[in-house]
Amino acid sequence: MKKRVLSGMQSTGKLHIGNYHGALEHWVRLQDDYNCYFFVANYHSLTTLYQNSKEIYENTLQVAIDFLAAGIEPDKSVVFVQSLVPAHTELHLILSMFTPISWLERVPSYKEKMSNIELADLTTYGFLGYPVLQTADIVLYDANFVPVGEDQLPHLELAREIVRRINHYYGETFVEPLPLLTSFSRIPGIDGRKMSKSYDNAIFLGDTDEQIRSRIMNAITDPARIKRSDPGHPEVCNIFAYHRIYSSSVLSQIESECRMGKRGCVDCKKECFKNLIASLATVRERRYNFEKNKDYVKDILRDGSKKASEYANKVLNRLREKMGIIY
Ligand code: TRP
């Protein structure tokens, strides 16, 4: 029996190469060895975008397109949208009855938001319950493993606590999920900060060649290099971080030429662009084709959501029966 995997991403916008190398690429590899469920967490995006929920509609499709372009295959994995599987909202409500507020108030993402006065105003009942909804997402599929980045570990820990509490009251009902750490190396944005849509420093899978070229040509390299002959420090260079991913066959040559001041940043960026385009060619071409065929993407999502619902409803009823809320 294959073990079960579930993961998801919020629909806050198109995905970038950091999301791809940090998560999607790993998900794709899990598909053959596990029963995989991958979904777009569009209800989770409402916690921050509730005033602009119309944006979420298109963003959800864009994230799904990124999943499929990356190589998530609907014949191998179940690909679905959270809002098309009502069991998530129902289980979220039930779990909320079992979750002490104090457990939620000590989740780092919540504490961080509350310490920021401007954002604290935006904090809602739903935002406090964000990790409860995430727990519902996970346990509805009996997931053994949840591939996530480090920032999600506290959410996983909370999910495990909620599972233990339910299992304590009602006997073995839910599987206690384990994290599967994926993003061990973080890719910097072109300015050296964390790659993020909100910093305007990201390279998106859906960008055109021209957009990618201009991103790379504008990237910050080693600030100590003013003249071409100045010795470089690849370890602080954002372009070198990309070379590590896209130029592995010539990496040591790039590194030594940079250190000796024999390679200019402009040439180095051109080579980076060329190798990035070559590495991501398949993904970007698939993306282009899915983008032209959104009706097909919607069909995939509806179909996947139907399959997801079948499984999730069984798990939900397992609990509802034990609780005595089903007749
Ligand atoms: N909170 C996750 C993130 O921001 C997205 C998410 C929602 C998720 N539900 C999930 C991830 C369930 C894994 C499992 O990245």
Side-chain angles (χ1 to χ4, degrees):
M1 269 288 275
K2 284 184 182 173
K3 297 262 187 191
R4 306 175 62 81
V5 158
L6 171 129
S7 199
M9 283 196 202
Q10 289 197 56
S11 42
T12 41
K14 288 185 182 176
L15 302 182
H16 50 63
I17 58 172
N19 301 126
Y20 177 67
H21 298 295
L24 294 181
E25 223 180 8
H26 303 276
W27 295 7
V28 168
R29 267 190 255 125
L30 296 169
Q31 293 184 102
D32 291 317
D33 300 330
Y34 298 93
N35 270 327
C36 292
Y37 290 76
F38 298 116
F39 76 105
V40 188
N42 58 343
Y43 276 134
H44 276 106
S45 329
L46 272 177
T47 56
T48 45
L49 286 176
Y50 57 88
Q51 296 122 315
N52 308 70
S53 68
K54 289 251 169 62
E55 273 177 40
I56 297 177
Y57 179 84
E58 181 59 24
N59 287 347
T60 297
L61 290 177
Q62 291 298 325
V63 171
I65 289 173
D66 285 318
F67 285 7
L68 298 168
I72 303 292
E73 293 178 42
D75 291 338
K76 292 183 180 170
S77 300
V78 181
V79 185
F80 68 98
V81 178
Q82 192 180 34
S83 68
L84 294 184
V85 183
H88 291 244
T89 49
E90 184 166 354
L91 184 58
H92 169 244
L93 179 94
I94 297 174
L95 296 183
S96 75
M97 308 298 175
F98 290 84
T99 310
I101 292 180
S102 61
W103 290 9
L104 297 171
E105 283 173 339
R106 58 170 200 252
V107 171
S109 53
Y110 182 77
K111 279 196 346 206
E112 215 172 276
K113 198 117 182 186
M114 291 309 280
S115 64
N116 181 330
I117 298 154
E118 277 163 55
L119 296 178
D121 253 7
L122 287 175
T123 304
T124 57
Y125 174 58
F127 183 72
L128 179 67
Y130 182 113
V132 182
L133 180 57
Q134 185 162 349
T135 303
D137 299 339
I138 296 167
V139 301
L140 280 172
Y141 302 93
D142 291 326
N144 304 100
F145 299 107
V146 183
V148 283
E150 222 174 353
D151 61 317
Q152 294 296 312
L153 292 181
H155 291 167
L156 251 287
E157 202 37 62
L158 187 85
R160 292 164 56 80
E161 277 176 293
I162 295 175
V163 166
R164 287 197 285 266
R165 182 168 258 224
I166 296 282
N167 289 350
H168 172 74
Y169 291 136
Y170 295 104
E172 280 305 305
T173 306
F174 292 139
V175 174
E176 212 174 302
L178 284 170
L180 207 59
L181 262 192
T182 51
S183 55
F184 31 86
S185 62
R186 186 170 267 166
I187 306 172
I190 57 163
D191 57 0
R193 291 187 290 173
K194 177 182 181 227
M195 186 172 284
S196 159
K197 186 176 111 138
S198 45
Y199 292 154
D200 192 26
N201 64 358
I203 295 171
F204 295 95
L205 296 175
D207 279 348
T208 61
D209 284 8
E210 231 3 89
Q211 286 170 315
I212 296 178
R213 189 199 313 275
S214 118
R215 286 285 168 190
I216 291 195
M217 296 317 285
N218 286 317
I220 296 173
T221 55
D222 174 2
R225 283 196 89 187
I226 307 205
K227 297 194 302 298
R228 193 177 199 278
S229 55
D230 290 337
H233 307 85
E235 64 280 0
V236 302
C237 176
N238 300 312
I239 289 294
F240 190 74
Y242 302 159
H243 276 307
R244 279 188 204 282
I245 302 168
Y246 303 115
S247 312
S248 52
S249 62
V250 284
L251 195 66
S252 53
Q253 185 192 346
I254 292 172
E255 177 166 10
S256 65
E257 285 178 7
C258 173
R259 287 196 195 285
M260 292 185 297
K262 286 188 178 162
R263 153 182 286 263
C265 291
V266 172
D267 288 342
C268 198
K269 286 176 167 179
K270 285 185 184 158
E271 172 152 16
C272 180
F273 170 73
K274 189 187 78 186
N275 296 343
L276 180 151
I277 293 293
S279 298
L280 293 179
T282 313
V283 172
R284 291 178 64 232
E285 191 185 317
R286 276 197 295 242
R287 197 186 196 293
Y288 180 81
N289 290 325
F290 281 119
E291 174 84 55
K292 275 198 312 199
N293 208 343
K294 282 196 193 148
D295 284 337
Y296 176 53
V297 173
K298 287 183 204 169
D299 281 343
I300 292 175
L301 293 175
R302 285 191 207 106
D303 190 51
S305 300
K306 208 185 281 171
K307 284 187 204 146
S309 282
E310 277 166 27
Y311 198 94
N313 286 338
K314 278 192 206 143
V315 176
L316 178 60
N317 283 340
R318 206 193 281 158
L319 177 65
R320 297 196 330 148
E321 257 168 42
K322 290 185 179 183
M323 292 178 71
I325 53 171
I326 195 169
Y327 294 92

